[in-house]
Amino acid sequence: MNFSAIINQIIVLFLVLFLGYFIRKRHIIDDHTSKKLSSLIVNVTAPMLILSSMMSKSNLGRDEILGILLLSVMVYICLFLMTFIVPRLLRVEQHNLGVYKFMIMFSNVGFMGFPVVNAIFGREAVFYASIYNLPFYALVYTLGIFFVSSNNKEKTKFEFKKMLNPGICAIIIGLILFSLKWSPHITIKDTVNMIGGLTTPLSMIVIGASLANVNIKNIFSNGRLYIYCVLKLIVFPVAILLAIRNFGFNPIMAGVPVIITGMPVAANAVILSKEFGGNEVLASEGVFISTMLSILTIPLMVYLLSMV
């Protein structure tokens, strides 16, 4: 693992993020544009990146696929248990409990997880990350909605059809192509690769633009968020690394759970809080501070992985 090259790639990602912040502050793009770009990423480019990774990897075994999926389920079970423990330790107010639970369980997978995994391990690792994130896609629109709406007096209507989202569909199609060992025509592959390649720059621009709307003064006064970020960005991924390092996994299979768990708060926290009555201000602050601190913690995780 070329540590200096990886750090350079991560710096590039965050420079693009700061570009997004700048162009939003300068009103080159507005909230409407940012929202449309988010929709484009979630519904088109990120699924294409998943398909691209699955079409380019042909020697991944069934045992590896089942292994990474089982590993993911175990990690999410542990994170779910943490939703009962961490808020008590932090003495979170009752009306903010649901948002904190969401922030504990769900990391920024589509906008940062895939681009960072791609930057660290290469496109092959996006295949692993796609399988690993199956529980995320299934849970974020079910359990995630339950969390953010848990303190909302109005009865929330859950839309389980949202579980069948573009990310899940891309993984299913990719697995079918993989299992059939069918390789699409080069024209199709190049098209999918090109569209999927838009995910990384667009994602970082959208994150930067969304952070431009956060009231930074309020964030600096919320000490509880900083403690949470230490747990989310350092303690949890390091605990996972220590737990799996002696199981004989290959570097990518061991690294993907660590990197994904150590990602900042999922951008869905803000979107779902707005829609289902959660504390969207707290969610925005959580996304902002965790994203900013991840500039330091992601290289730390990469360094720890390189030492294993």
Side-chain angles (χ1 to χ4, degrees), residues 117-128:
V117 165
N118 191 26
I120 295 173
F121 299 109
R123 181 160 292 191
E124 171 187 333
V126 180
F127 195 160
Y128 286 81

Side-chain angles (χ1 to χ4, degrees), residues 63-298:
D63 290 343
E64 288 179 289
I65 292 176
L66 293 177
I68 194 71
L69 185 58
L70 178 61
L71 190 57
S72 175
V73 171
M74 292 174 64
V75 169
Y76 273 100
I77 289 174
C78 292
L79 291 175
F80 179 70
L81 294 176
M82 288 297 103
T83 65
F84 296 97
I85 298 171
V86 173
R88 286 192 177 187
L89 293 177
L90 297 180
R91 297 182 179 180
V92 175
E93 303 92 336
Q94 183 63 34
H95 62 279
N96 289 330
L97 200 57
V99 173
Y100 267 96
K101 286 184 175 184
F102 185 101
M103 293 194 298
I104 290 166
M105 273 205 72
F106 299 109
S107 300
N108 195 329
V109 172
F111 291 104
M112 283 194 70
F114 288 138
V116 171
V117 165
N118 191 26
I120 295 173
F121 299 109
R123 181 160 292 191
E124 171 187 333
V126 180
F127 195 160
Y128 286 81
S130 302
I131 303 300
Y132 181 85
N133 285 318
L134 272 170
F136 172 91
Y137 290 117
L139 292 171
V140 71
Y141 290 111
T142 51
L143 183 61
I145 291 174
F146 173 77
F147 280 155
V148 298
S149 64
S150 58
N151 299 307
N152 185 7
K153 294 181 180 179
E154 297 182 8
K155 188 175 181 180
T156 301
K157 293 182 179 180
F158 298 97
E159 297 181 46
F160 287 102
K161 63 181 180 180
K162 287 187 176 180
M163 288 179 62
L164 196 63
N165 52 65
I168 287 282
C169 292
I171 293 170
I172 292 172
I173 294 171
L175 285 174
I176 292 173
L177 294 177
F178 171 76
S179 62
L180 294 176
K181 304 296 181 184
W182 181 71
S183 180
H185 190 273
I186 187 65
T187 305
I188 303 255
K189 290 179 74 173
D190 286 349
T191 303
V192 171
N193 290 340
M194 179 178 289
I195 297 173
L198 296 172
T199 303
T200 298
L202 286 180
S203 295
M204 305 315 288
I205 287 174
V206 167
I207 291 172
S210 67
L211 298 183
N213 296 322
V214 177
N215 189 329
I216 299 178
K217 292 181 180 178
N218 292 339
I219 295 175
F220 290 137
S221 63
N222 192 341
R224 188 181 286 115
L225 266 181
Y226 287 95
I227 299 173
Y228 155 77
C229 285
V230 170
L231 294 172
K232 178 73 178 70
L233 302 177
I234 299 177
V235 175
F236 291 169
V238 168
I240 291 171
L241 176 60
L242 294 175
I244 68 176
R245 65 176 179 173
N246 295 321
F247 281 86
F249 295 129
N250 65 54
I252 297 178
M253 196 166 175
V256 165
V258 175
I259 295 299
I260 293 295
T261 304
M263 285 296 102
V265 176
N268 310 64
V270 181
I271 298 169
L272 295 180
S273 292
K274 283 182 178 180
E275 187 172 351
F276 295 100
N279 187 339
E280 63 182 89
V281 174
L282 174 62
S284 298
E285 292 173 352
V287 170
F288 181 91
I289 192 63
S290 62
T291 301
M292 291 296 99
L293 290 178
S294 70
I295 298 174
L296 302 174
T297 59
I298 291 174

